[in-house]
Amino acid sequence: MSSIWQLIKKYQSLILVVVVWQLMALSGLFSEQLFPGIEKIAIVFLELLPTSDLWSNIGITLYRILAGFALAAIVGVPLGIAMSRSRTFDNIMQPIFTFGYPVPRVALYPIFVLIFGIGSGSKIFTIFLECIFPIVVNTYYGAKRVNILYIWSGQNMGADKRKLFWRVFLPGAMPSIFTGFRIALPIGVVIAVLTEMISSSNGIGYLLTYLSASLSQSQVLAVVVYISLIGYALDRLLLYVRNRFVYWS
Amino acid sequence: MQNNSKKWFVLTSIGEILFFLLLWQVLSITSWFPTYVSSPVEIFSRIGEMFADGSIYPHVGISLYRTILGFLLVVLIGTVLGMLAGFFKPIGNFFDPLISFFNPIPKIALLPVFLVWFGVTDVTRILIIFTSAFFPCFIATLDGVRNINKLYLWSAENMGASKFKMLWRIILPAALPKIFDGWRVALALTFVMMFSSEMIGTSTGHGLGFMILNADSYGRVDIVLAGVFIIALLGFIFDRLLILLRNRVLWWSER
């Protein structure tokens, strides 16, 4: 009994949001089309669940997110490490990341549509461009801050350069590389949905704008829930991978 | 030494920018680039024209108004709530589940919802800017306040400081480096969301995103690129201003 009370107390704010939402919906101040109750959203959510429409669009969006993110990781991590290791390379690349960081790169999306077409290419490239910055910056600082004592001890124990890199240096930088990943992945989700909303013929963002044209808020909100679940699931997945591979931190 | 490396950094930066522009120009002239991608000379002359005949000012003005208003709301509400939630335990406990529930939602997905509720108005745009940028600001502030060295708080308490005085004189300065980090992330997001909210669901009006969308539908790539360049420049200038402010206010904290 007291444990239920504890739970209610812990999640009081969420319960409050639900109650206020339901009261607003029931009050009849807004039309049901505009302000559906949570049970309505849940029904639409379940209705959408078995449709192939939903899953094919989710699949396309997931493909774009993961492709863009993977490209950013494959290019970004070696780039960040190279910048941390070589002074000249650092001097050459640093301005790009200092000046490029605050610039909203997604604004280039219309140009990418011209170059890569309206399909997945333009979206993947925009996602890549947005994701690579946090990955490079975090990899760079992580690699710079690898405890020098570890490197010294490794050298002392007779590790050659290659072994030192793979066994000491890279694992030392790994936690902050994953920090970069965790910042980049949600950005990838946002950019995927955003670019699909701007111009697309498929994907979950397209589905969202398509349904919103029907002015039925319960459908739109149900898709918002699906999008949130995608973001949440991807973050959990990354966390799982991190805990598998970077178990020491 | 410090000064010298800074000078060197600025020089290489300028050199690189000039190099890229030159490369781009050469590629355009020799038609290595697709012809519809304008050359830098075209883009800059377009920007010059737009500033000369004044047609750019309404777009820049309205976009900046939305960005700044959204950002100030985030700074005000996000920082104050973050500090209160960090300092007073019950408030923190109240907000924790809300944050962990709403933070993972890609806020851009809420844009169609807001569009239906508030129409194609500035309320929608500023609201989407606010909901996107609020979370990094709030979380950074909360984090900063919760990680303050407890000794500071104990000594302040011991010396008889009131709650308000502790918030203002100890917690705010001690958490400020973290808070500035949050502001910087929020600022970058503000610009992204300004652009997106103007691109989606606008039919008529002003704003840089709208200008880009409009030019894009007419196939005027030079205007699109000019708009992108201006957004990039504004994003950069405001980031620098924030860093300048940080260095003035936080002279005691190393970068």
Side-chain angles (χ1 to χ4, degrees):
Chain A
M1 194 60 211
S2 72
S3 71
I4 294 173
W5 186 240
Q6 286 284 319
L7 268 179
I8 291 175
K9 222 176 138 187
K10 192 177 166 199
Y11 293 106
Q12 49 174 322
S13 49
L14 281 178
I15 295 166
L16 192 71
V17 169
V18 170
V19 167
V20 169
W21 181 285
Q22 275 312 62
L23 282 179
M24 297 254 284
L26 288 173
S27 71
L29 277 173
F30 313 95
S31 88
E32 207 174 89
Q33 284 284 327
L34 291 183
F35 209 102
I38 285 172
E39 80 286 353
K40 292 255 160 45
I41 300 170
I43 289 169
V44 178
F45 181 87
L46 292 174
E47 275 174 3
L48 278 171
L49 198 59
T51 57
S52 66
D53 225 21
L54 176 80
W55 292 104
S56 63
N57 282 322
I58 285 184
I60 289 165
T61 305
L62 273 181
Y63 157 68
R64 286 169 183 161
I65 296 169
L66 293 177
F69 176 76
L71 267 178
I74 291 167
V75 179
V77 172
L79 199 64
I81 289 177
M83 279 168 67
S84 74
R85 306 268 284 184
S86 149
R87 211 183 161 94
T88 5
F89 194 59
D90 188 17
N91 282 338
I92 293 169
M93 296 306 287
Q94 198 67 48
I96 297 178
F97 286 95
T98 313
F99 287 99
Y101 188 77
V103 168
R105 295 163 293 276
V106 69
L108 285 168
Y109 174 65
I111 305 294
F112 297 150
V113 172
L114 279 178
I115 297 174
F116 299 108
I118 201 161
S120 293
S122 51
K123 277 129 202 139
I124 291 174
F125 196 73
T126 314
I127 294 168
F128 162 76
L129 218 53
E130 285 282 349
C131 285
I132 195 171
F133 275 78
I135 293 179
V136 168
V137 169
N138 277 286
T139 306
Y140 173 77
Y141 285 112
K144 279 236 145 170
R145 281 174 203 159
V146 172
N147 195 336
I148 194 78
L149 283 179
Y150 299 159
I151 310 254
W152 285 342
S153 359
Q155 275 169 338
N156 228 0
M157 290 182 229
D160 54 42
K161 270 207 154 158
R162 247 182 73 192
K163 212 163 189 181
L164 205 63
F165 178 81
W166 287 105
R167 295 309 200 105
V168 180
F169 186 74
L170 199 60
M174 224 37 179
S176 56
I177 291 175
F178 266 95
T179 309
F181 286 171
R182 266 198 98 184
I183 299 171
L185 197 55
I187 295 177
V189 177
V190 171
I191 300 300
V193 174
L194 171 63
T195 51
E196 285 169 0
M197 283 167 78
I198 293 174
S199 61
S200 183
S201 53
N202 48 24
I204 195 89
Y206 166 76
L207 188 70
L208 190 68
T209 38
Y210 174 77
L211 289 176
S212 76
S214 67
L215 288 183
S216 157
Q217 287 286 72
S218 50
Q219 288 185 323
V220 176
L221 285 165
V223 176
V224 170
V225 174
Y226 276 111
I227 294 175
S228 315
L229 287 178
I230 293 174
Y232 191 72
L234 283 176
D235 188 52
R236 284 286 114 175
L237 187 70
L238 189 64
L239 213 60
Y240 174 76
V241 173
R242 179 190 189 279
N243 290 341
R244 276 304 293 270
F245 289 100
V246 199
Y247 49 83
W248 59 87
S249 92
Chain B
M1 187 60 211
Q2 187 68 21
N3 222 350
N4 216 352
S5 72
K6 205 171 175 182
K7 209 188 259 170
W8 184 242
F9 175 75
V10 172
L11 276 178
T12 38
S13 312
I14 294 170
E16 271 175 40
I17 291 170
L18 287 179
F19 173 74
F20 276 119
L21 289 179
L22 201 69
L23 187 71
W24 184 355
Q25 184 72 30
V26 169
L27 286 177
S28 300
I29 288 173
T30 53
S31 312
W32 271 73
F33 258 23
T35 40
Y36 51 76
V37 178
S38 317
S39 70
V41 171
E42 281 174 309
I43 296 165
F44 284 114
S45 63
R46 174 73 51 229
I47 293 174
E49 258 171 53
M50 286 192 296
F51 272 103
D53 66 12
S55 64
I56 191 75
Y57 293 117
H59 294 301
V60 173
I62 198 86
S63 284
L64 275 187
Y65 156 73
R66 289 165 187 154
T67 313
I68 293 172
L69 192 60
F71 182 66
L72 285 183
L73 280 174
V74 167
V75 164
L76 208 67
I77 300 176
T79 312
V80 169
L81 277 185
M83 279 179 63
L84 292 177
F87 186 50
F88 297 106
K89 252 209 144 118
I91 301 180
N93 289 340
F94 181 81
F95 275 105
D96 273 341
L98 275 185
I99 295 299
S100 49
F101 185 78
F102 286 106
N103 188 36
I105 297 180
K107 257 62 73 181
I108 187 70
L110 291 171
L111 190 56
V113 181
F114 292 156
L115 274 174
V116 174
W117 281 343
F118 305 105
V120 188
T121 57
D122 276 354
V123 177
T124 304
R125 299 196 186 95
I126 291 170
L127 208 60
I128 202 75
I129 290 175
F130 177 78
T131 45
S132 298
F134 170 79
F135 287 91
C137 176
F138 179 88
I139 292 170
T141 310
L142 185 68
D143 200 38
V145 173
R146 281 194 179 154
N147 287 327
I148 289 177
N149 191 341
K150 290 277 177 297
L151 285 178
Y152 298 162
L153 299 182
W154 290 337
S155 14
E157 235 164 24
N158 229 2
M159 290 181 231
S162 65
K163 292 264 179 209
F164 177 77
K165 208 162 190 177
M166 273 170 76
L167 267 175
W168 184 242
R169 300 300 292 258
I170 294 170
I171 291 174
L172 182 65
L176 213 47
K178 259 278 162 63
I179 293 175
F180 262 102
D181 289 346
W183 286 353
R184 206 169 161 214
V185 176
L187 186 68
L189 268 175
T190 311
F191 271 90
V192 172
M193 287 301 145
M194 176 267 280
F195 164 79
S196 334
S197 68
E198 287 176 356
M199 290 272 302
I200 299 168
T202 30
S203 42
T204 54
H206 288 298
L208 288 166
F210 169 73
M211 187 185 95
I212 290 173
L213 185 73
N214 207 22
D216 189 42
S217 60
Y218 287 111
R220 289 296 301 270
V221 180
D222 52 339
I223 301 184
V224 173
L225 282 170
V228 171
F229 181 81
I230 292 170
I231 289 188
L233 194 67
L234 288 175
F236 177 71
I237 290 173
F238 275 85
D239 188 55
R240 284 289 118 169
L241 284 178
L242 193 64
I243 290 177
L244 214 67
L245 183 72
R246 183 191 194 280
N247 291 345
R248 290 216 63 162
V249 177
L250 285 180
W251 44 268
W252 73 83
S253 135
E254 35 143 11
R255 264 197 58 100

